């Protein structure tokens, strides 16, 4: 449900408004973030109802109201972005750190369960 954008975002930087209480807000630690892009694709505006019906939650939008962050409601850590968190200029990269922590935590739980 990704489509080519009319105007490429390559090299663009922009604000993203994040839904309070969402996984994205907890990970980013803010209701607003400035992110960098290196893409020419975005969410298809014709598809949000289909995706919502299957558990997708849109948790971040840019200044034009276009979706930039999505989550799956019943997943322990599914956080999709239409910006590139590894390009964060401040070096913190909280989304990448949170993903790595969640993956390590899951591996520990699975190993512990296998030992039982």
């Amino acid at each position: 449900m990704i489509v080519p954008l009319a105007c490429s975002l390559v090299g663009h930087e922009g604000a993203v408004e994040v839904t309070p209480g969402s996984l994205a807000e907890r990970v980013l630690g803010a209701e607003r973030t400035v992110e960098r892009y290196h893409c020419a694709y975005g969410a298809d505006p014709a598809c949000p109802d289909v995706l919502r019906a299957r558990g997708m939650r849109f948790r971040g939008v840019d200044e034009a109201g276009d979706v930039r962050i999505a989550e799956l409601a019943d997943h322990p850590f599914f956080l999709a972005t239409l910006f590139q968190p590894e390009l964060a200029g401040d070096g913190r990269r909280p989304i990448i750190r949170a993903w790595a922590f969640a993956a390590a935590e899951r591996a520990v739980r699975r190993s512990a369960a296998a030992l039982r």
Side-chain angles (χ1 to χ4, degrees), residues 11-110:
H12 178 75
E13 183 175 277
V16 177
E17 299 298 324
V18 183
T19 303
S22 64
L23 172 61
E25 191 265 340
R26 289 191 305 274
V27 167
L28 291 166
E31 293 177 14
R32 184 179 189 278
T33 181
V34 175
E35 299 294 341
R36 294 182 181 178
Y37 298 87
H38 189 78
C39 66
Y41 295 89
D44 184 347
C47 296
D49 292 336
V50 172
L51 296 172
R52 277 189 193 97
R54 288 167 175 78
M56 185 72 63
R57 302 294 177 253
F58 302 112
R59 302 300 194 194
V61 296
D62 66 13
E63 293 163 332
D66 294 326
V67 171
R68 296 292 172 224
I69 302 174
E71 302 173 4
L72 279 178
D74 296 327
H75 192 278
F77 192 94
F78 181 96
L79 182 62
T81 66
L82 286 168
F83 54 84
Q84 289 183 259
E86 72 274 15
L87 297 177
D90 62 6
R92 295 182 320 121
R93 297 172 178 81
I95 292 174
I96 295 170
R97 287 178 188 222
W99 173 79
F101 181 77
E105 200 172 67
R106 179 182 165 120
V108 167
R109 283 194 309 269
R110 290 181 78 171

